[in-house]
Amino acid sequence: MYYYLQSASWCGPCKQAMPDIVETYKEMREDGRAEIILVGHDQTPEGVKAYISGYKSKMPAVQVQAKNVDKLPGFSLASGIPNVIVVSADGNVITQGYPTSIIPQWKAEVERIEAAAADSDNKEAEEESTAAEE
């Protein structure tokens, strides 16, 4: 699961949210089931790198104007920042909105997605078993 965090060094609400987001990022990295990717709205790639390194974080970062940003599955440009887009591993957008409302719930969201996938797998197995019996 990916969390595309759109943020910038010049954005007051972004800077206010970053310390908590960086702490949550550490938990995500240890867990391994989710990843935050900073999509920085700073003027230059160097500005984006300076922004995230100012928080002593190794969070992956890309500038919003970068050529490859449109290759992020499920990514779309937000109408305002800070913003986060939550995308499943297969590129489906799950939700988006204000980061401090969404990111802290990451474990519950990952577990919900995993449970739904397990239910789907179980239903498919049951259908295959029923088909084989017929």
Side-chain angles (χ1 to χ4, degrees), residues 7-18:
S7 186
S9 64
W10 46 263
C11 168
C14 299
K15 292 191 297 187
Q16 185 177 10
M18 280 304 286

Side-chain angles (χ1 to χ4, degrees), residues 60-104:
V62 62
Q63 184 194 25
V64 74
Q65 290 92 357
K67 292 178 185 175
N68 60 351
V69 76
D70 62 342
K71 291 184 171 64
L72 295 173
F75 177 78
S76 63
L77 191 59
S79 59
I81 60 173
N83 184 57
V84 68
I85 303 170
V86 182
V87 179
S88 65
D90 58 1
N92 293 318
V93 175
I94 297 167
T95 190
Q96 65 178 325
Y98 198 75
T100 56
S101 299
I102 295 172
I103 292 175

